[in-house]
């Protein structure tokens, strides 16, 4: 509220009860910052009250109180230590902005937030477009749609206009990556399955991710316009994964759609609302400072750092000081999915925010701070805490070795496993055998994902998000993926014999796991040329990718992440014409693998040795 005040200057006024917290030693500028006023106006007001001061001069408590009373603010002086403590509490907010702790009367219904997931080419993007077009066709949308990472549509449901928010980066990578960072944005997942193709590996992966996050699923059986489409087969196939269609007595809504022809999209939206109403209590308090999650962020040439944030509770307004991850700033403008300016954003509303100091990461939480200075301090503290946390994280996650201790201490009651193997037969056999283990009453052993092929970043993200251990059966995590797992402290255990895997997990559950040796990777090299010589055996012309390759060590050969041979001898090593004992990263060399001859270009030769494991 602006009001002409003493001396004809205009200052935003409080109502006499508005509390303003001021740190001891603060200046007029600091106060001006908090009430969004021009420091020079405050100097003028103070002058008319008979006090002379410059904007940067610090004032005593009495002077602040006089000034506060004049302007309608209740001034509370705090020590720097108190302020520090409060700051810490406010940046250390719960990542899950649940409705616990909120007064029931303050809660209002909020729209569901939906993510579309499914196998490649099953029509995720097309479906997101069709949903958007439905709105345009109904003449409700204004302007051209822009990609900001999410959009909201409106739909009439039982006589009431309801909104639904869609995250429009399709795929579960985004979903899982955000969840791995502790952010839960999705209320409902639409699982797209093409009726002419059926349930595919990524369909299963997507549903595993949603189920692991306890997110209800609505199935969109897509491409029903295609000849030979068989929607009832999809229903049948998904029953195996605990998604039983309502019409078969289950709880999951299946809707047959054609994203291409825009057919039945309305029914799909209806199913989303019905599922939300039946399974979830989606409410939020909009009458408080906003908080939420950054779902996408960019550095724009003209506009600087922009971030699309999803409000989870409260109301975000232009002019609010905010912190998003370790970025901070004042909301200069907010844009919706049509590029229109928005002055206020309520829970579940995605808006693109302009005015941040730097680009936050997807999944970062944002909060409104009392003023710019506090926002900056919170951002700095978060950055420091982030650094600390990434140091501590590696030790925090679950490992098979300390599982029993964690179980005994009541820290965990579930062992989540992700199985990856070279062929589906071995994965199934391993899964069957694992599920036979007698785990007793206290522990729940869950296999949250399984699949064929190398261990992917997505597997590691899911392990992070669900605190799972990854079992690699004749497959490995390579290169960057292995590094991420290592850095994030995700345990990956490699086996090539099923009973050994079962044995170790059984023992870990009983607290008897005493691994004495561990495998230490020495280096890896990639094959670029193959020379076959009857005299010297096979020579693999290779480049050392990491560590070093040493003569006389043992190697494993992998092809696209799948193990093709173990225990191969590095029989000889040459650089140009010289025999050498070792070759370091970045150098080329000829590796003699003796009589072993199943080699292909691009194969990875990884050398390792067994070392005694230091006791924790
Ligand atoms: N006939 C028919 N074709 C469809 C339908 N929906 C999508 N398609 C087509 O299927 C192909 C893949 O659709 P996308 O929307 O790109 O699939 P996606 O799941 O987003 O694919 P990725 O982003 O690659 O994972 C495109 O050629 C679409 O035109 C449909 O309902 N009917």
């Amino acid at each position: 509220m602006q009001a002409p005040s003493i001396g004809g200057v205009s200052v935003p006024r409080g109502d006499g009860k508005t509390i303003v917290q001021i740190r001891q030693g603060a200046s007029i500028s600091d106060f001006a910052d908090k009430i969004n006023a021009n420091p020079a106006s405050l100097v003028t007001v103070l002058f008319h009250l008979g006090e002379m001061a410059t904007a940067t001069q610090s004032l005593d408590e009495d002077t602040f109180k006089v000034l506060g009373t004049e302007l309608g603010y209740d001034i509370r002086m705090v020590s720097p230590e108190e302020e520090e403590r409060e700051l810490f509490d406010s940046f250390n907010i719960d990542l899950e902005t649940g409705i616990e702790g909120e007064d029931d009367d303050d809660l209002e219904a909020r729209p569901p937030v939906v993510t579309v997931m499914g196998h490649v080419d099953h029509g995720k993007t097309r479906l997101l477009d069709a949903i958007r077009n439905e709105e345009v066709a109904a003449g409700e949308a204004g302007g051209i749609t822009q990609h900001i990472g999410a959009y909201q549509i409106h739909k009439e449901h039982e006589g009431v206009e309801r909104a639904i928010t869609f995250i429009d980066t399709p795929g579960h990578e985004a979903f899982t990556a955000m969840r791995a960072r502790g952010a839960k944005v999705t209320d409902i997942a639409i699982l797209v399955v093409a009726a002419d193709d059926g349930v595919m590996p990524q369909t299963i992966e997507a549903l595993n991710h949603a189920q692991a996050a306890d997110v209800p699923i609505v199935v969109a059986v897509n491409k029903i316009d295609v000849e030979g489409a068989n929607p009832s087969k999809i229903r049948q196939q998904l029953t195996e994964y605990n998604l039983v269609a309502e019409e078969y007595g289950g709880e999951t809504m299946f809707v047959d759609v054609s994203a291409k022809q825009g057919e039945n999209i309305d029914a799909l939206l209806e199913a989303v609302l019905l599922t939300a109403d039946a399974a979830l209590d989606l409410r939020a308090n909009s009458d408080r400072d906003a908080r939420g999650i950054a779902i996408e962020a960019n550095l724009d040439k003209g506009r600087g750092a922009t971030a699309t944030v999803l409000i989870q509770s409260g109301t975000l307004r232009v002019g609010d000081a905010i912190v998003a991850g370790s970025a901070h700033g004042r909301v200069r403008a907010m844009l919706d999915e049509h590029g229109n300016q928005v002055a206020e954003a309520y829970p579940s509303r995605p808006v693109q925010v302009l005015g941040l100091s730097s680009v936050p990461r997807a999944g970062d939480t944002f909060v409104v701070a009392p003023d710019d200075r506090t926002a900056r301090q919170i951002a700095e503290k978060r950055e420091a805490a982030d650094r600390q946390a990434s140091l501590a994280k590696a030790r925090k996650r679950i490992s098979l070795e300390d599982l029993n201790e964690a179980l005994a201490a009541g820290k965990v009651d579930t062992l989540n496993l992700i199985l990856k193997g070279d062929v589906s037969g071995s994965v199934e056999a391993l899964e069957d055998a694992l599920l036979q283990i007698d785990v007793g009453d206290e522990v729940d052993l869950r296999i949250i994902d399984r699949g064929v092929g190398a261990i992917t970043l997505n597997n590691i993200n899911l392990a992070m998000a669900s605190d799972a251990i990854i079992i690699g059966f004749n497959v490995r995590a390579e290169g960057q993926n292995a590094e991420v797992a290592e850095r994030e402290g995700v345990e990956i255990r490699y086996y090539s014999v099923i009973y050994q895997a079962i044995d170790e997990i059984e023992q870990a559950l009983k607290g008897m796991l005493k691994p004495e040796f561990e495998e230490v990777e020495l280096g890896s090299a990639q094959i670029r040329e193959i020379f076959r010589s009857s005299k010297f055996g096979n020579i693999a012309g290779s480049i050392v990718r990491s560590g070093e390759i040493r003569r006389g060590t043992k190697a494993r050969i992998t092809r696209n992440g799948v193990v093709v041979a173990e225990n191969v001898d590095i029989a000889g090593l040459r650089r140009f014409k010289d025999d050498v004992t070792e070759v370091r990263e970045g150098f080329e060399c000829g590796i003699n693998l003796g009589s072993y001859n199943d080699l292909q270009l691009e194969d990875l030769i990884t050398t390792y040795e067994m070392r005694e494991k230091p006791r924790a």
Side-chain angles (χ1 to χ4, degrees):
M1 202 195 319
Q2 297 276 335
S5 185
I6 315 170
V9 294
S10 169
V11 176
R13 298 185 56 115
D15 60 4
K17 286 180 291 195
T18 322
I19 299 172
V20 176
Q21 193 164 297
I22 294 178
R23 179 181 40 93
Q24 281 156 11
S27 67
I28 293 188
S29 281
D30 294 329
F31 181 41
D33 219 20
K34 296 214 177 212
I35 62 169
N36 246 333
N38 177 352
S41 317
L42 293 191
V43 171
T44 314
V45 174
L46 207 54
F47 176 77
H48 285 275
L49 290 171
E51 296 272 350
M52 295 269 286
T54 61
T56 52
Q57 189 178 327
S58 73
L59 301 183
D60 59 20
E61 184 167 352
D62 287 345
T63 315
F64 269 129
K65 291 230 148 138
V66 170
L67 184 60
T69 310
E70 180 60 31
L71 297 173
Y73 297 104
D74 182 3
I75 304 290
R76 299 270 162 87
M77 296 299 280
V78 290
S79 66
E81 295 76 39
E82 274 174 282
E83 191 183 52
E84 181 97 333
R85 205 170 326 115
E86 286 191 12
L87 265 180
F88 188 81
D89 290 344
S90 63
F91 91 86
N92 207 13
I93 56 162
D94 271 351
L95 289 174
E96 300 234 355
T97 51
I99 54 175
E100 297 87 39
E102 292 275 12
D103 198 332
D104 215 51
D105 295 342
D106 296 335
L107 295 171
E108 296 155 46
R110 65 165 179 85
V113 179
V114 182
T115 304
V116 174
M117 313 200 318
H119 193 71
V120 86
D121 273 353
H122 278 196
K124 299 179 288 292
T125 309
R126 196 76 190 242
L127 184 65
L128 279 161
D129 288 345
I131 292 167
R132 218 194 246 126
N133 289 340
E134 181 93 353
E135 170 109 326
V136 176
E140 284 164 26
I144 310 157
T145 52
Q146 321 244 336
H147 173 90
I148 62 165
Y151 64 82
Q152 199 171 65
I153 56 126
H154 295 87
K155 165 183 168 46
E156 196 179 296
H157 176 72
E158 291 165 0
V160 182
E161 185 180 285
R162 301 272 300 265
I164 309 175
T165 301
F166 287 88
I167 306 286
D168 77 351
T169 4
H172 44 275
E173 284 79 6
F175 174 82
T176 314
M178 271 199 247
R179 212 165 71 82
R181 307 207 40 230
K184 185 175 190 284
V185 290
T186 304
D187 299 313
I188 291 183
I190 293 184
L191 182 65
V192 182
V193 191
D196 61 341
D197 199 20
V199 171
M200 299 301 275
Q202 281 179 293
T203 315
I204 299 162
E205 200 171 280
L207 78 87
N208 281 328
H209 285 266
Q211 285 174 340
D214 268 332
V215 169
I217 295 171
V218 171
V219 181
V221 180
N222 191 27
K223 307 200 187 184
I224 50 161
D225 59 290
V226 176
E227 212 181 287
N230 188 350
S232 60
K233 188 172 132 214
I234 309 292
R235 286 168 173 72
Q236 231 162 41
Q237 287 180 328
L238 284 175
T239 326
E240 273 179 49
Y241 301 92
N242 290 328
L243 286 185
V244 183
E246 273 192 332
E247 55 264 46
Y248 297 165
E251 290 183 344
T252 307
M253 299 195 68
F254 281 63
V255 185
D256 297 343
V257 301
S258 164
K260 189 177 176 185
Q261 300 181 344
E263 201 175 315
N264 250 354
I265 303 299
D266 194 61
L268 180 64
L269 300 177
E270 194 75 29
V272 166
L273 290 175
L274 287 169
T275 303
D277 293 348
L280 306 163
D281 180 20
L282 300 178
R283 292 184 299 159
N285 179 359
S286 62
D287 187 23
R288 52 175 288 171
D289 282 342
R291 56 170 57 177
I293 308 255
I295 52 179
E296 199 175 286
N298 291 298
L299 193 61
D300 189 298
K301 259 197 208 134
R303 302 182 298 177
T306 68
T308 298
V309 299
L310 182 76
I311 317 292
Q312 295 193 301
S313 70
T315 301
L316 186 65
R317 296 185 173 85
V318 170
D320 280 348
I322 65 166
V323 193
S326 51
H328 62 95
R330 197 179 273 272
V331 179
R332 200 167 69 223
M334 293 194 289
L335 302 174
D336 68 7
E337 58 279 70
H338 308 297
N340 298 327
Q341 300 243 5
V342 194
E344 293 185 322
Y346 302 103
S348 296
R349 187 85 185 85
V351 280
Q352 192 177 41
V353 167
L354 273 56
L356 286 173
S357 60
S358 57
V359 181
R361 293 175 299 177
D364 274 342
T365 50
F366 84 85
V367 282
V368 167
D371 53 67
D372 290 349
R373 190 171 145 272
T374 314
R376 196 186 62 240
Q377 285 181 331
I378 296 175
E380 280 162 7
K381 278 195 177 270
R382 275 187 169 178
E383 206 174 348
D386 267 1
R387 274 196 301 273
Q388 284 288 325
S390 60
L391 288 177
K393 200 152 47 185
R395 292 184 290 274
K396 223 177 57 198
R397 295 195 195 278
I398 194 165
S399 79
L400 211 48
E401 210 177 336
D402 53 36
L403 177 67
N404 192 261
E405 218 172 285
L407 288 169
K411 280 192 224 149
V412 293
D413 54 8
T414 319
L415 174 60
N416 286 333
L417 295 176
I418 296 173
L419 311 182
K420 289 304 286 276
D422 50 347
V423 288
S424 63
S426 59
V427 178
E428 277 160 28
L430 188 60
E431 177 165 5
D432 285 347
L434 282 168
L435 293 175
Q436 300 289 315
I437 296 181
D438 177 15
V439 292
D441 297 335
E442 290 105 84
V443 198
D444 197 7
L445 189 145
R446 287 171 61 190
I447 293 162
I448 58 170
D449 196 4
R450 78 281 294 148
V452 174
I455 294 163
T456 62
L457 194 56
N458 211 20
N459 298 142
I460 293 164
N461 272 331
L462 179 63
M464 267 196 266
S466 313
D467 214 357
I469 293 172
I470 302 178
I471 307 285
F473 189 77
N474 280 333
V475 294
R476 312 197 56 94
E478 284 180 345
Q480 236 191 340
N481 294 351
E483 279 167 32
V484 173
E486 170 90 32
R487 188 176 67 231
E488 297 290 343
V490 169
E491 185 175 28
I492 306 182
R493 292 189 84 99
Y494 297 112
Y495 298 98
S496 50
V497 184
I498 288 190
Y499 85 80
Q500 202 174 10
I502 305 303
D503 226 36
E504 286 202 8
I505 288 164
E506 211 164 14
Q507 289 185 348
L509 289 166
K510 292 184 186 141
M512 289 158 50
L513 187 65
K514 293 187 180 61
E516 306 209 307
F517 286 90
E518 66 177 343
E519 188 188 294
V520 177
E521 189 177 310
L522 302 173
S524 66
Q526 194 154 34
I527 301 184
R528 292 192 149 175
E529 264 178 287
I530 298 166
F531 309 98
R532 304 194 192 274
S533 146
S534 53
K535 197 168 155 203
F536 300 111
N538 284 307
I539 309 283
S542 313
I543 176 152
V544 181
R545 293 285 184 207
S546 66
E548 58 179 33
I549 301 293
R550 226 180 285 158
R551 186 159 40 142
T553 53
K554 293 283 183 192
R556 156 184 311 119
I557 316 288
T558 51
R559 191 166 297 152
N560 297 322
V562 175
V563 178
V564 291
E566 293 267 12
N567 253 330
V568 178
D569 286 314
I570 305 287
L573 201 58
R574 294 197 121 196
R575 257 188 70 70
F576 302 107
K577 294 213 158 23
D578 301 327
D579 278 318
V580 291
T581 50
E582 62 202 25
V583 181
R584 273 179 298 131
E585 183 177 334
F587 291 97
E588 295 191 322
C589 59
I591 303 175
N592 182 340
L593 295 169
S595 57
Y596 180 77
N597 57 21
D598 175 17
L599 292 177
Q600 285 183 16
L601 293 183
E602 305 289 311
D603 281 359
L604 209 58
I605 302 173
T606 307
T607 60
Y608 54 88
E609 70 184 19
M610 303 305 287
R611 283 194 199 148
E612 193 165 353
K613 200 167 179 177
R615 299 256 167 232

